[in-house]
Amino acid sequence: MERFTRLDALACPLGLANVDTDQLIPARFMSRPRSEGYGRFLLHDLRFGPEGQSLGFPLDAARHAGASAIVARRNFGTGSSREAAVYALWDYGIRCVIAPSFGDIFASNAVKNGLLPAQVSPDDAEAILGGLETAELPRLVVDLETQRIEAGGRSFGFSIDAVRRLQLLNGWDDLDLTRRHAEEIVAFRTRRLAEAPWVMPG
Amino acid sequence: MEQARTLFDKVWDSHVIVTREDGESLLWVDRHFVHEGSHHAFRQVDTRNLPVAEPRLTFGIADHYVPTRNRPAIADPEIAGMVERLSGNAARHGFRLFGLEDPDQGIVHVVGPEQGLTLPGLLVVCGDSHTSTHGALGAYAFGIGASEVAHVLMTQTLWQRKPKRMRIRINGTLPPGLSAKDLALQVIRTIGADGARGHALEYAGDAISALSMEGRLTLCNMSIEAGARCAMVAPDAVTFAYLRGRPMAPQGAAFEQACTAWQGLASDPGAVFDREIALDAGSIAPLVTWGVSPEDALPIDAHVPDPAAEADPARAGYLQQALDYMGLRAGMPLEQVAVDRVFIGSCTNARIEDLRAAAAILKGRKAAVPGLVSPGSSRVKAQAEREGLDRIFREAGLEWADSGCSMCVGMNGDLVAAGERCASTTNRNFRGRQGKDARTHLMSPAMVAAAAVTGRLTDLRKLARG
């Protein structure tokens, strides 16, 4: 997994609340193999009309071309557990989403792919959104080491679960951590099936 | 003295293999359900060239992409490929598959409980957010992403941080004609679509005790729409009666032994929750959604919200965008909203009780709009046909189809056309959920049946008989 330490990049403000994973990637694209890249499916139906024409969505504004961060309102990534939502963000080039709250499953999926879900207060989200709209260049810096965001000449703190922060900083893979506990897993299994025999279906 | 524990605490504690200093715990997984959409995870497993750790605790179910008409043929090669890939993975890794032609096939969150695979006190995961459903039996059940699915396939374990505990007490008696779906929408509109985020939810109170298992499954199913990590109901006599004799549940003496253990799972008196909320079932009216989030729900006798009446500009903007997408006029009575079609199905509301409730409204009546009825499982379908419910739906003019996720998520090609408005028993009214530019109104099966009869959103109580 790629490490996340510091991001100095263009950011796209999305003044939307409840951006669900069905919007991040509509279901009809999810049978495609990842090898084709999922970036072009990101927020597809908000961005493109029936003939594939641009609907003028902020992500496609010249001003936000090459953005690596997204700033949104509350409950980003709510809904379906589809990790393809993270694939679409990642393949598009997004490395960090800043919002006042995230869907739990989305936040977990994000970290497992190296994408930072940075949680800020609702007021700070509004300030960052406003700053990006008015700035000459919609740029910000996200530092995971110090848990600070620099945007529009101001500095904001953000929160992330301590373990997830370390995983991102170090690029740790869960499976490697799990393997260290192989013996404990075997012992647990034996005990579990003895104490609750009905766990093994007939 | 031992500390008082909640239902969730007890199930959590019995699954912890190890807890790291940083607070993350490695948990044992008792049941892992996979479906056609799990192909990303199997690819990760194949990349590492590892076997499935516990094939006997792994179950494959073809539901997300399966056709609901003209089975077993699958016209679309891309969709056929998805279904075949699951069959291939099941054969290769040696786990039980509830495939397209299996008489026990159905939607994973209907089949798990129905087969007796989901049991109290188990830890259940699936790469689907509506896995929260299984908590109705007192299981700790939650949806996971593809990386986690791959991890469970390879290790039968999962790293988790213990969520906070939240209890929602619902007392009082639901008014006649109302159901668990109305309770669920009431919870979500009260606490918001992220109101239970980071929390393990427990439902308690006499309105919950009075719910059937089908109703509890609906309520726990929709809890993810309030952002809950999982939702649970303590196992009781209703649970045990539901499970007794299920094909894959323990049988005979083993079942009695299990029931004794399960009785101890209920939250101890004095157990502390991080949050407590109380609701009154008696004061709820039939609910429908008007917007693009399940929290956008209102009683059927209410009016569509007016952005102009909203002081907060961000909220006003949200309302306006939602109304634009939904094609609704600010302030119009909800009962004047005309629908183009109806859908009765999904892991939320396609169990036998749901079909009975819809059929009770439709019996002897004609639907004013077209609609599709897709039972929650092939067993539910057979049961409904034994009861003659299929005839009621057909005679009303609705299409009676096979079981799958169908028009709830549209992956199999069952879609609501762009611009069309659908009264739906499903769980998500997100933009484009039922098809590109489709407009979804969520409500109970009886409310969908009422909308079918009149062709607009309708208070089912106006059509209820005696």
Side-chain angles (χ1 to χ4, degrees), chain A:
Chain A
M1 191 177 95
E2 216 169 279
R3 293 177 182 202
F4 187 110
T5 47
R6 187 172 181 277
L7 181 73
D8 180 347
L10 288 179
C12 179
L14 295 185
L16 302 173
N18 292 327
V19 176
D20 56 75
T21 53
D22 276 81
Q23 288 180 76
L24 286 169
I25 181 165
R28 64 184 184 278
F29 299 123
M30 286 164 52
S31 53
R32 308 283 178 86
R34 173 85 185 274
S35 53
E36 289 177 12
Y38 273 29
R40 65 207 155 102
F41 307 137
L42 177 63
L43 292 160
H44 185 278
D45 293 347
L46 291 177
R47 293 168 61 201
F48 304 112
E51 275 81 50
Q53 76 277 24
S54 172
L55 298 173
F57 194 73
L59 212 53
D60 297 308
R63 178 177 167 76
H64 303 127
S68 300
I70 281 176
V71 187
R73 295 200 165 106
R74 65 175 263 263
N75 208 20
F76 188 93
T78 184
S80 153
S81 60
R82 59 187 69 171
E83 197 161 306
V86 176
Y87 303 160
L89 286 161
W90 184 270
D91 291 355
Y92 184 87
I94 304 297
R95 296 292 176 266
C96 171
V97 179
I98 299 166
S101 62
F102 295 92
D104 278 337
I105 306 175
F106 171 83
S108 168
N109 290 341
V111 170
K112 299 206 185 300
N113 288 274
L115 189 146
L116 168 65
Q119 190 181 355
V120 295
S121 72
D123 286 347
D124 285 355
E126 294 305 319
I128 297 169
L129 280 168
L132 290 173
E133 299 285 3
T134 55
E136 196 177 325
L137 205 61
R139 206 170 183 88
L140 50 71
V141 176
V142 182
D143 192 322
L144 183 54
E145 201 72 66
T146 60
Q147 288 184 231
R148 304 293 300 179
I149 297 166
E150 314 291 332
R154 288 182 62 189
S155 176
F156 307 87
F158 69 88
S159 53
I160 179 166
D161 174 89
V163 175
R164 288 181 174 169
R165 176 174 167 273
L166 279 182
Q167 279 186 320
L168 283 166
L169 284 172
N170 297 299
W172 281 337
D173 181 290
D174 276 344
L175 195 63
D176 299 335
L177 300 176
T178 308
R179 281 201 169 129
R180 296 181 202 166
H181 300 286
E183 283 177 24
E184 287 141 297
I185 294 172
V186 171
F188 183 94
R189 180 190 194 279
T190 309
R191 201 169 66 239
R192 172 88 181 134
L193 295 181
E195 284 172 4
W198 54 86
V199 167
M200 194 54 83

Side-chain angles (χ1 to χ4, degrees), chain B residues 153-224:
Chain B
L153 286 172
M154 293 184 279
T155 68
Q156 202 61 22
T157 66
L158 205 54
W159 290 100
Q160 291 286 300
R161 174 174 290 269
K162 192 173 180 181
K164 292 181 181 160
R165 274 75 74 203
M166 176 171 176
R167 180 162 57 189
I168 299 184
R169 271 187 190 283
I170 311 182
N171 285 322
T173 307
L174 266 178
L178 273 72
S179 70
K181 183 62 158 289
D182 299 293
L183 281 181
L185 289 171
Q186 179 71 7
V187 166
I188 299 162
R189 72 190 282 259
T190 303
I191 68 175
D194 53 358
R197 189 171 44 83
H199 288 77
L201 211 56
E202 179 179 338
Y203 289 105
D206 39 78
I208 305 303
S209 304
L211 279 181
S212 65
M213 189 48 62
E214 282 84 353
R216 295 176 188 184
L217 289 160
T218 298
L219 184 60
C220 289
N221 170 279
M222 288 291 286
S223 299
I224 182 67

